Amino acid sequence: MSKTLLIKNATVVVTMNDTREEIKNGAIFIRDNVIEQVGKTEDLPRTADEIIDASNHVVLPGLINTHHHMYQSLTRVIPAAQDGELFNWLTRLYPIWAGLTPEMIKVSTLTAMAELILSGCTTSSDHLYIYPNKTRLDDSIEAAQQIGMRFHGARGAMSVGQSKGGLPPDRVVEDEKDILRDTQRLIETYHDHSRHAMQRIVVAPCSPFSVSRDLMREAANMARSYKVSLHTHLAENVNDIAYSREKFNMTPAEYAEDCGWVGHDVWHAHCVQLDDHGIALFARTGTGVAHCPCSNMRLASGIAPIRKMIDAGVPVGLGVDGSASNDGAHMMGEVRQAMLLQRVGFGPDAMTARQALEIATLGGAKVLNRDDIGALKPGMSADVVMFKLDAIGFAGALHDPVAALVFCTPPNVSCSVINGRVIVRDGQCTTIDLGMTIERHNALAFELADAAN
């Protein structure tokens, strides 16, 4: 028997539909896990199994996070890695991450997902690329199922250790045959191709400086045989460029193309240093980019030319990146930072508030190769977030409440619906005991750090 949900009386519903319609006194009617109607409150049904009064709220499509390393929530602000660029930062953290356990993966994933959900995110990718002590991507998947988040689990991998010229220590890399075998297992066990899928698997060798060319090519072949997406890091900073030129005699974009890593089913994280040839290549092939502004600033990687990418036709989504290179996972905060950073890099009109929101919704959906999320319109997945407008951070900003979400202090949601299910109500997560989760997470964070000393 179907269940209906009515969200009504919203100050404004930001649809992100084909005309980018914004509906004052808006409403959304949901049946089970799919949006059935969107319009003015007076034009929609007046009854439903559950009714949410969204008076004094802005209602948005759920935000989409296209790049994260959720386990890194355990190593935020570790003193040894508070400063330094990417390669320096990684070499200091790899030995700590070697102590990760299955419980640490699950609890850190629950913590990271709760933080994301409370900030407006309803769909997230997570790139788990280190597997010590019998940890598995299954640990993350269990957490996603428990909290109720739409999840693209990326089976990352590192296979080239320091003895072979790679960056990671040999003790945290895996055999390539084992990587491919486990990736196949995960796809066959968990991947859901259907529309409105809550769980998908992504093939995701970590980076050009931690896996071989053979693994990149084999991974691409496997992903395409199963019709799943591909994800990795690319062109994150100048050292990344130098490594690619020295090892492969190619730019990162040239190397990606050589390995078969371009196309609508591929997205690359960062691309801060992507050159004009790379931008044109990505635009021509529909290859996506996950923009992670906070992390790029934290590690001084630079300002990704997102305005140029979008103008060229490159699909661009937003990512918070790992919480050890961002130290936060607030999606609306990331939207704000994306807008501000493009203005610093390319001028005061380089990005508007609504353009930043579009990257975090429609852009993220395209990057993840989905057409069922990112907008509020009939037939779309019922992923809806609501932000209350009476907070002090919005005082004086209600001339344009949609832009206020981006320009003002980043808010948390008062309500979040994921796949038709209320996951946040009155600002509180309904599916896990958040206080107990945070307490256990903090204990595990100290345990992980102590074990490395």
Side-chain angles (χ1 to χ4, degrees):
M1 188 173 177
S2 65
K3 182 182 178 183
T4 56
L5 170 65
L6 175 63
I7 300 165
K8 66 177 185 176
N9 300 327
T11 300
V12 59
V13 172
V14 182
T15 66
M16 290 293 170
N17 64 14
D18 296 345
T19 61
R20 307 301 187 266
E21 186 180 10
E22 296 178 4
I23 304 171
K24 293 181 179 179
N25 190 31
I28 302 165
F29 187 79
I30 294 163
R31 189 177 302 277
D32 295 328
N33 63 335
V34 180
I35 295 171
E36 199 168 272
Q37 298 180 57
V38 181
K40 287 190 172 294
T41 297
E42 59 265 29
D43 296 332
L44 263 61
R46 297 189 178 186
T47 61
D49 296 320
E50 182 174 1
I51 297 174
I52 296 174
D53 187 352
S55 298
N56 205 27
H57 284 71
V58 174
V59 176
L60 293 171
L63 306 183
I64 299 165
N65 178 37
T66 61
H67 187 63
H68 207 339
H69 309 291
M70 294 185 182
Y71 74 88
Q72 291 182 12
S73 300
L74 292 160
T75 52
R76 299 190 206 208
V77 203
I78 287 279
Q82 288 181 12
D83 307 307
E85 57 77 45
L86 174 66
F87 283 18
N88 175 274
W89 173 87
L90 280 170
T91 53
R92 291 177 180 180
L93 283 165
Y94 282 140
I96 300 174
W97 296 336
L100 287 165
T101 65
E103 184 190 11
M104 289 175 181
I105 297 295
K106 184 171 182 179
V107 174
S108 62
T109 302
L110 281 174
T111 303
M113 286 185 168
E115 186 174 9
L116 285 168
I117 289 168
L118 288 167
S119 72
C121 183
T122 55
T123 299
S124 185
S125 175
D126 184 41
H127 192 188
L128 181 59
Y129 56 79
I130 188 166
Y131 294 90
N133 309 312
K134 298 183 178 180
T135 53
R136 304 189 303 166
L137 186 62
D138 308 60
D139 304 319
S140 300
I141 292 168
E142 288 173 13
Q145 292 170 343
Q146 182 177 341
I147 200 169
M149 187 169 217
R150 201 178 297 277
F151 186 47
H152 285 229
R155 205 307 181 178
M158 298 190 294
S159 64
V160 178
Q162 290 173 348
S163 65
K164 296 180 180 178
L167 196 66
D170 289 352
R171 64 189 171 123
V172 297
V173 302
E174 299 175 88
D175 178 80
E176 296 192 349
K177 289 182 180 178
D178 292 339
I179 291 165
L180 292 169
R181 188 180 303 113
D182 190 54
T183 304
Q184 180 177 353
R185 175 189 69 83
L186 288 160
I187 296 169
E188 293 178 351
T189 304
Y190 294 108
H191 188 81
D192 183 353
H193 284 283
S194 66
R195 189 169 175 83
H196 314 300
M198 288 293 286
Q199 176 63 62
R200 289 190 175 163
I201 299 296
V202 181
V203 180
C206 183
S207 63
F209 52 80
S210 59
V211 300
S212 71
R213 189 190 302 245
D214 284 345
L215 183 62
M216 291 291 284
R217 288 175 171 165
E218 287 298 314
N221 290 337
M222 175 180 286
R224 291 189 171 115
S225 71
Y226 282 97
K227 294 182 170 57
V228 302
S229 290
L230 288 153
H231 181 52
T232 193
H233 298 85
L234 198 77
E236 186 168 352
N237 73 1
V238 292
N239 287 334
D240 200 344
I241 305 294
Y243 182 95
S244 186
R245 288 194 177 280
E246 179 185 344
K247 294 291 182 179
F248 314 121
N249 195 31
M250 296 179 182
T251 67
E254 289 168 342
Y255 181 67
E257 184 177 29
D258 181 68
C259 294
W261 276 71
V262 293
H264 66 89
D265 55 353
V266 182
W267 87 99
H268 297 279
H270 303 298
C271 297
V272 175
Q273 305 293 338
L274 195 66
D275 59 13
D276 287 346
H277 167 267
I279 291 173
L281 171 67
F282 281 24
R284 186 171 68 252
T285 57
T287 306
V289 170
H291 176 43
C292 306
C294 287
S295 174
N296 296 160
M297 289 187 285
R298 159 79 148 82
L299 297 175
S301 298
I303 303 174
I306 298 304
R307 179 75 267 158
K308 183 184 286 189
M309 291 182 193
I310 291 172
D311 289 345
V314 176
V316 177
L318 205 58
V320 300
D321 200 13
S323 286
S325 67
N326 180 330
D327 305 297
H330 198 294
M331 272 301 289
M332 194 56 76
E334 210 72 34
V335 173
R336 182 176 192 255
Q337 210 69 279
M339 179 188 75
L340 296 178
L341 193 58
Q342 286 306 293
R343 292 180 177 209
V344 169
F346 307 103
D349 58 355
M351 185 172 291
T352 68
R354 285 169 171 80
Q355 287 169 341
L357 285 171
E358 186 169 325
I359 292 172
T361 51
L362 291 171
K366 190 166 187 179
V367 162
L368 294 185
N369 207 19
R370 296 190 70 139
D371 63 0
D372 54 353
I373 57 175
L376 302 177
K377 60 183 182 180
M380 300 295 278
S381 300
D383 293 357
V384 186
V385 293
M386 297 162 234
F387 295 92
K388 202 169 185 182
L389 292 169
D390 62 0
I392 192 169
F394 294 137
L398 301 186
H399 323 284
D400 186 347
V402 178
L405 291 178
V406 184
F407 276 95
C408 299
T409 303
N412 274 2
V413 296
S414 65
C415 184
S416 175
V417 176
I418 303 178
N419 205 44
R421 179 186 180 193
V422 178
I423 302 296
V424 176
R425 194 187 300 274
D426 297 325
Q428 302 297 315
C429 191
T430 64
T431 51
I432 64 169
D433 186 325
L434 189 54
M436 286 184 63
T437 302
I438 292 169
E439 183 178 349
R440 185 59 184 153
H441 185 270
N442 283 333
L444 291 170
F446 281 115
E447 184 181 312
L448 183 64
D450 290 345
N453 293 329

